[in-house]
Each structure stands twice: as C-alpha cells, then as structure tokens.
Amino acid sequence: MKTIALPRFIDEAVLISTQDKKSVPFAIRRVFIIRNIKSKAIRGKHAHKKTKQALFCIQGSMKVKLSDGKKTVVHRLTKPNVGIFINQMTWSEMYDFSRDAIVLVFASDVYKNRDYIRDYQAFLRKAR
Ligand code: TYD
C-alpha cells in the first residue's frame, strides 16, 4: 500500500497541487469527484484491469480497503492532501464515509466499462 502526499501551500488558505507525475505516479487522464455519499454506503467493489488511480478524501474522512488477491489492507483517509495509490488489478472498497466526505480520484485512463472487474471471484481467479 502506497500513500501519496501532495504538496500543500499555506498562506491564509491551503492550496494543494499536483502536476506531471511528481506526486501521482502516472499521467492523469481522468478526474472524478464523488459527494453526497450516504455514510452507510459501500462504493467501489471492483478492480481495474489496467487503470491506476489515486484516491483522496479532500473533505471529511473515509476508509478504503484494498486487496491484491493475497493481502488486504485498510486505510483511513483523513487529510485532504494525503491519498492512496490504487494499482491496476487491486480490489477496492470505500466505506465509513463522514457525512461531509468529498472524494477526488485521479485515473490513468478514460472511463471504459470493459476495464472493470466487478465480480470478486473473477478478480481472485485473474489475480492469482
Ligand atoms: P462506479 O465506478 O460504479 O462508482 P464507484 O467506483 O464510486 O462505485 O460509477 C458509478 C457510475 O458513474 C456508473 O454509472 C459509471 C459512471 N462513471 C462514468 O461515467 N465515468 C467515470 O469516470 C466513473 C468513475 C463513473
């Protein structure tokens, strides 16, 4: 499991930035935000065949569970500039969202439904 710390610039505000593979270890081709998340929601529950992602909880907090098919780790995200790298072929689940949670995800590829593995048993078969 690899965390990613984005540089913060603090004056009377806090500015968080990333560019050109300096902190996020891939070229960013897609960005998406998830908000208005029910605290009981479990999101994700899939893996990507090729796409790599960097996940940040830029407001509030959440947990993310990651598995490569052998090892499972749980990480709590509480800082807007400290996220987690989700490699390809990693099963991910996001849960325990605070009411105000806002999730920001950088992805290495455009959205392709065919890049998703949504069945856990199929993921395990492919990962092993
Ligand atoms: P989904 O990947 O299931 O969200 P999560 O990973 O949070 O569980 O996506 C939810 C919906 O949004 C689904 O209909 C596909 C669509 N979507 C896009 O069109 N583009 C995107 O970049 C993403 C991530 C999702």
Side-chain angles (χ1 to χ4, degrees):
M1 193 216 34
K2 194 165 105 186
T3 55
I4 298 172
L6 301 184
R8 291 189 309 163
F9 301 90
I10 302 171
D11 45 31
E12 73 283 329
V14 180
L15 187 155
I16 298 167
S17 166
T18 183
Q19 60 181 354
D20 197 23
K21 295 190 193 172
K22 279 215 170 68
S23 327
V24 174
F26 53 81
I28 297 166
R29 291 195 70 198
R30 174 166 54 108
V31 177
F32 60 93
I33 287 170
I34 313 170
R35 57 188 291 272
N36 280 0
I37 311 165
K38 300 250 183 317
S39 58
K40 291 270 184 291
I42 302 175
R43 299 199 60 94
K45 289 202 207 168
H46 57 241
H48 289 280
K49 294 174 193 162
K50 293 269 173 64
T51 303
K52 301 172 198 293
Q53 296 183 311
L55 177 89
F56 293 83
C57 187
I58 57 168
Q59 178 173 283
S61 64
M62 58 171 280
K63 283 183 188 153
V64 58
K65 183 155 90 179
L66 300 177
S67 174
D68 62 2
K70 298 181 196 113
K71 226 172 73 183
T72 300
V73 293
V74 173
H75 194 79
R76 185 155 180 260
L77 295 175
T78 58
K79 294 181 182 167
N81 71 313
V82 180
I84 194 142
F85 174 63
I86 306 178
N87 208 348
Q88 62 200 52
M89 286 306 290
T90 303
W91 189 265
S92 70
E93 296 183 12
M94 299 173 264
Y95 57 101
D96 263 1
F97 296 95
S98 63
R99 290 195 75 85
D100 61 346
I102 299 179
V103 179
L104 171 67
V105 182
F106 300 120
S108 66
D109 204 353
V110 297
Y111 180 78
K112 287 174 192 150
N113 193 41
R114 66 177 185 277
D115 187 58
Y116 280 68
I117 304 171
R118 298 184 194 277
D119 180 77
Y120 188 63
Q121 295 307 322
F123 163 74
L124 287 179
R125 282 196 297 276
K126 208 170 155 58
R128 281 170 183 168

